[in-house]
Amino acid sequence: MVLERDTDLRRTVGHGMHLTDAAMTALQETMPADWIRRLHALAQDSGRGAGYAVRDHRGRLLAEDLPLDSPTGVATDRLTLRLLLTAGLGESLRLGAQVVGYEHRPGGRVAALMHDGNDREVDVLVAADGVGSSIARGLAARATSSPTALVGVAGRTQIRNLGPEARARFSTGATIVLGPGGYGLHGGQHRPLDQDVVATFTDRPLHAEPMYVWGAVMLDWVQTAALADASGNALQEALAAQLRDRAWTPGLVAMVEAADADSLTSFRFYAAPSYAAGIAPWAPGVVTALGDAVHAMPPTGGQGASTAIRDAHVLVGELADAAAGRSSIVAAVDRYEQQMREYASQVVATFRRPSTWTVAAQRGGRWLPSPRETSLASAAVTWAQRARPEPLSV
């Protein structure tokens, strides 16, 4: 049974994402072959075929045709993956089901305590409710992640809504834009999805037109704090105003102004400890957690979803042994958590690095960045550190 607090699966935080080879292996060993074929049919290649370009906030080209270091895996978006994963769950998926806590019951079972009072008793409870999970916090007796001093905004813009200047500023592949004061914008062009494939898992069109999927990153401080709590038109207007106030050229601001306001989401960046003992710091039992609920990581690495998929794959394998009588449930959860701590802490350590670089640079720190990165967002952070402190002269 999947207890989903959202009532609309099309409302999701963030947009573009990359599934690593490890995540794809997990999916191939878990999902039907037809499901894998549909995922590949809907894949994107933004920033990987033609490379990406870098511009300053006035729209001037700083570099072009730069490659990313990880051409393998599958590029997609969060909404497509979410709808694909939930298709076919039927009555096993309960929308609008808000879990507020848990309670151990006789016989080694556990109850998910529901907001509506209709508690659910189960054999194993797995928290997958993201940063701030009440279940994971209860297990750890503290928050499982901490803020990284960055805030992001993600959105989608139909290309037909952009004027000539905006189209000229953004490449047909992917683009990074750097501005003074630590403001940056990164994104890639996504082709329309095959609606015949889409119709096999949802009854409404999905990404039927070419669009630009983008994200903005900035320091989380007094001038940007309100963005993290805004949404829709208010968020769109506030972000556009921030960029205009910092002398961004209208052709670049247009990417935000022409976006689908309902697609805009904002979020603070959180990260879990980057050492194994700091992740899932509790004794094994019939309650556990996966994904951002237990090991949040900056979205600049694009590895959060892939690591969560790996978590689910490992946990399912261990619980299958318990179901077959070869292990107890607690022992199965223990083996999962031991494995998860090791690989998740390594991923968090790797992708905390770009976030640390961003904050250090804006506070006067100095470092020499690697010339290549593994995701467009990570590359944007690296380029932000290389940018000159003053705008280039015309």
Side-chain angles (χ1 to χ4, degrees), residues 102 133-145 273 277-283 287-289 293-294 337 341:
Y102 67 92
S133 166
S134 60
I135 302 296
R137 176 184 283 271
L139 286 168
R142 60 168 175 79
T144 57
S145 60
I279 293 178
W282 55 71
V287 183
T288 189
V294 63
E337 290 176 347
R341 289 184 186 103

Side-chain angles (χ1 to χ4, degrees), residues 3 18 56 93 122 136 175 195 206 225 240-241 251 259 271 309 312 326 337 371:
L3 303 174
H18 176 244
D56 71 3
L93 175 63
V122 295
T175 301
Q195 296 304 298
L206 177 65
I309 289 170
R326 294 187 292 269
E337 290 176 347

Side-chain angles (χ1 to χ4, degrees), residues 109-155:
R109 288 169 65 80
V110 61
L113 305 180
M114 311 302 298
H115 182 264
D116 62 5
N118 187 22
D119 300 342
R120 310 277 183 173
E121 191 170 304
V122 295
D123 294 314
V124 183
L125 179 62
V126 183
D129 48 347
V131 173
S133 166
S134 60
I135 302 296
R137 176 184 283 271
L139 286 168
R142 60 168 175 79
T144 57
S145 60
S146 57
T148 65
L150 296 175
V151 63
V153 178

Side-chain angles (χ1 to χ4, degrees), residues 206-278:
L206 177 65
H207 306 334
E209 298 184 48
M211 63 183 177
Y212 217 81
V213 175
W214 54 266
V217 181
M218 60 212 81
L219 278 179
D220 186 3
W221 64 310
V222 64
Q223 294 191 31
T224 59
L227 295 179
D229 300 315
S231 61
N233 288 311
L235 175 59
Q236 183 177 34
E237 294 169 4
L239 178 59
Q242 291 269 348
L243 299 181
R244 285 193 297 267
D245 289 347
R246 283 155 184 79
W248 281 53
T249 188
L252 297 178
V253 181
M255 182 62 71
V256 176
E257 294 173 324
D260 174 8
D262 289 338
S263 77
L264 264 68
T265 55
S266 59
F267 43 89
R268 287 186 168 87
F269 289 14
Y270 284 81
S274 55
Y275 53 94

Side-chain angles (χ1 to χ4, degrees), residues 327-350:
S327 165
S328 69
I329 291 177
V330 173
V333 170
D334 186 23
R335 289 192 299 272
Y336 153 68
E337 290 176 347
Q338 289 185 40
Q339 295 175 67
M340 178 265 291
R341 289 184 186 103
E342 294 300 323
Y343 63 72
S345 61
Q346 294 174 19
V347 177
V348 172
T350 299

